[in-house]
Amino acid sequence: MHDIRTIRDNPEAFDAGLRRRGLAPLAAGLLEIDRRRRAAITESEQTQARRRALSKQIGVARGKGEPTEALMAEVGGLDAVQKAAEKKAADAEAELDGLLAGIPNLPDAEVPDGADERDNKEIRRIGNPRNLAFDARDHVAIGEALGLMDFAAAAKMSGARFVVLKGQLARLQRALAQFMLDLHTAPAAGPLGGYTEVDPPLLVRDNALYGTNQLPKFAEDQFRTTNGYWLIPTAEVPLTNLVNDSVVDEKDLPLRYTAWTPCFRSEAGAAGKDTRGMIRQHQFPKVEMVSITAPEQSADEHERMTGCAEEVLKRLDLPFRTVVLCSGDMGFGARKTYDIEVWLPGQNTYREISSCSNCGDFQARRMNARYRPREGKGTRFVHTLNGSGLAVGRTLIAVLENYQNGDGTVSVPAALRPYMGGSDTIGAVKG
RNA sequence: GGAUGGGUGGCCGAGCGGUUUAAGGCACCGGUCUUGAAAACCGGCGUGGGGGCAACCUCACCGUGAGUUCGAAUCUCACCCCAUCCGCCA
């Protein structure tokens, strides 16, 4: 949510930011509504003040036994005037808020200009794809050959975009999540760890989704229960909403939270896209990281968070690259976003496995999430950041495809073996 | 699902038709005192609108929205939310 006062102070900068997002200028229209709104507020409040003064005089006059008819006559006509002005103000405010709620965050100055993902900029590339002595298979072929990944069974009970994992693959997924959580929840050491593990609700109300930007604009992408709850599309929602409508002390910042949860997405706009395999599912597990910071810290925290996500891939020895999204490809609430893309030999390409965004005060404003600065008066909005650390389902895919062997088995990355009961291979015949 | 109680500033909490300019306390920030700290005392301490270069002045805001009234935090209705008890249930 944008601050109308910021727009009022610098409408050119606002429109320039929108242009970078590929959007038409809006400042003039917004400010016109804002002028109407403020004029109506002034009118309403002045009328109200007059009413109250007269009413007080009536009370005083009564106390002295003096006549009140003249005062009563004057106050009589004010009611309708005040109500009308109040309604004008409320209507204008609703109109303004409705428009503001649908406008995306503006890109940070460091974000490269661009229209879509082709304009994203790679900023680093870590690790080298393994040279396989055989043709790489994709995760579907690997998993189904092992008999541990069953799309048909999932389709029978749930339809497309679901999967059943069994045995060592189910365990591998759990191992990955466990491994990620252990990494992020370790006591903060320099650029790693320090996140508090949270087990949040998976069903949330409207106001929570509003706070993290999914509402009102992206309702179609969500699942909703018959009695009005929403299934979380990411743990970003409950984790960020931990500070909804609250004031924290600056000394407690940054707050760092992590959670391993299923995520639910209707994939309404994704018909026909990524239909094969586990890449795009209605339900998938993800380890999410959320940081709540003071404004001055958020840029550094963004780098740190991205590093935490990258560390998972480094320790799993999976090749990846990190890109900074261009202005036209960023999500609604982000001011700057890093995507981490893992190498998938089965698809011969890098695929997104994490997205780390700095939202600035955009969500904080919607949530009314503030902090009390050490120095100075009042409260200020916090900055919120979120990042996947990582998408567990896609990490499973990456392990299968990068660690596949010629005999159809899959090696277990060294870092995961403690979580796999010491086993170093999936699909190996025992004995 | 049924019943009851309740939503007041960062937190707790009084107020239940007109000196409320929303008491009091806690927390926090200044100051006095002290070697320093604590305690004590003094002062400050919400958001938004309008005006002013500014110190500042002024108006509105007691979950949300309607209503009653000359006048509403206070009365009425609806809705949202929270708590407790009962029922059902992993």
Side-chain angles (χ1 to χ4, degrees):
Chain A
M1 178 72 98
H2 289 286
D3 183 5
I4 188 65
R5 284 174 298 178
T6 314
I7 301 173
R8 206 187 293 151
D9 290 345
N10 202 340
E12 294 80 15
F14 183 74
D15 281 340
L18 290 178
R19 198 176 314 122
R20 296 187 61 204
R21 280 264 194 181
L23 297 170
L26 293 170
L30 294 168
L31 291 180
E32 171 51 31
I33 300 168
D34 182 49
R35 265 191 294 279
R36 263 167 37 217
R37 171 179 146 268
R38 287 187 297 154
I41 287 172
T42 303
E43 187 190 354
S44 159
E45 291 187 347
Q46 282 175 352
T47 313
Q48 173 76 339
R50 182 67 188 146
R51 267 174 82 187
R52 299 198 115 186
L54 288 168
S55 293
K56 190 167 268 183
Q57 287 177 41
I58 290 171
V60 171
R62 287 230 175 129
K64 294 182 186 162
E66 291 169 356
T68 58
E69 287 75 15
L71 294 167
M72 302 270 275
E74 184 178 354
V75 86
L78 261 41
D79 185 62
V81 177
Q82 201 260 326
K83 287 254 156 49
E86 206 170 55
K87 178 155 173 28
K88 259 194 288 181
D91 287 350
E93 178 158 1
E95 186 181 355
L96 188 62
D97 284 351
L99 289 172
L100 287 174
I103 299 173
N105 205 351
L106 302 182
D108 188 274
E110 296 170 23
V111 169
D113 278 317
D116 53 41
E117 71 270 9
R118 285 170 309 209
D119 297 318
N120 296 342
K121 276 209 335 228
E122 179 177 313
I123 53 175
R124 54 185 164 264
R125 190 180 283 233
I126 312 282
N128 295 307
R130 189 165 311 180
N131 286 317
L132 299 176
F134 50 93
D135 285 343
R137 293 182 295 167
D138 77 358
H139 67 282
V140 179
I142 299 165
E144 288 186 336
L146 288 168
L148 301 176
M149 184 183 290
D150 194 336
F151 291 95
K156 265 197 273 185
M157 59 182 109
S158 303
R161 296 199 189 282
F162 288 93
V163 68
V164 173
L165 297 180
K166 290 187 283 194
Q168 289 287 82
L169 276 198
R171 180 164 188 174
L172 179 63
Q173 183 157 273
R174 174 162 56 92
L176 282 165
Q178 207 99 292
F179 166 70
M180 293 175 197
L181 284 175
D182 283 353
L183 180 63
H184 301 320
T185 60
L192 295 175
Y195 287 85
T196 300
E197 184 170 352
V198 175
D199 187 4
L202 307 181
L203 299 175
V204 298
R205 287 201 278 247
D206 291 7
N207 78 303
L209 279 193
Y210 180 82
T212 38
N213 321 315
Q214 286 82 11
L215 290 180
K217 229 186 156 182
F218 306 103
E220 324 73 52
D221 298 333
Q222 321 302 328
F223 286 112
R224 193 169 201 200
T225 69
T226 51
N227 52 353
Y229 288 114
W230 301 91
L231 277 69
I232 60 166
T234 158
E236 170 199 344
V237 175
L239 291 182
T240 310
N241 273 284
L242 285 172
V243 294
N244 188 309
D245 196 30
S246 67
V247 180
V248 299
D249 281 334
E250 183 172 11
K251 66 176 164 50
D252 296 327
L253 298 176
L255 294 170
R256 296 189 177 114
Y257 299 116
T258 186
W260 166 36
T261 71
C263 303
F264 302 94
R265 300 192 181 176
S266 74
E267 296 299 342
K273 212 184 204 177
D274 301 320
T275 49
R276 177 174 167 82
M278 286 176 60
I279 291 283
R280 193 175 298 276
Q281 302 274 281
H282 284 309
Q283 174 194 323
F284 61 93
K286 178 158 61 66
V287 170
E288 182 75 0
M289 301 175 285
V290 161
S291 292
I292 311 295
T293 76
E296 298 74 22
Q297 301 173 311
S298 72
D300 286 346
E301 182 71 10
H302 190 208
E303 301 299 325
R304 185 184 192 277
M305 175 181 276
T306 306
C308 288
E310 290 176 343
E311 184 69 15
V312 175
L313 292 169
K314 287 179 185 169
R315 295 198 183 193
L316 293 174
D317 200 17
L318 291 169
F320 67 92
R321 62 176 195 157
T322 300
V323 303
V324 57
L325 298 193
C326 74
S327 56
D329 197 35
M330 285 195 305
F332 186 81
R335 94 169 15 172
K336 184 177 181 184
T337 298
Y338 291 117
D339 271 8
I340 302 172
E341 300 177 344
V342 70
W343 176 253
L344 294 184
Q347 309 194 9
N348 198 41
T349 187
Y350 285 97
R351 285 300 298 246
E352 178 185 341
I353 196 167
S354 171
S355 191
C356 299
S357 295
N358 182 358
C359 296
D361 63 5
F362 192 78
Q363 295 178 326
R365 211 174 280 288
R366 289 171 164 247
M367 290 191 300
N368 193 28
R370 295 158 293 161
Y371 75 98
R372 192 172 294 285
R374 278 194 199 85
E375 318 256 316
K377 285 197 216 173
T379 57
R380 298 171 69 197
F381 289 112
V382 296
H383 279 197
T384 63
L385 303 93
N386 63 81
S388 359
L390 309 161
V392 179
R394 288 193 180 177
T395 312
L396 178 88
I397 293 173
V399 169
L400 293 183
E401 296 196 4
N402 283 282
Y403 281 84
Q404 62 181 301
N405 300 314
D407 61 0
T409 64
V410 176
S411 298
V412 175
L416 291 181
R417 285 175 200 162
Y419 297 90
M420 294 293 288
S423 144
D424 60 5
T425 311
I426 292 172
V429 182
K430 289 228 165 81

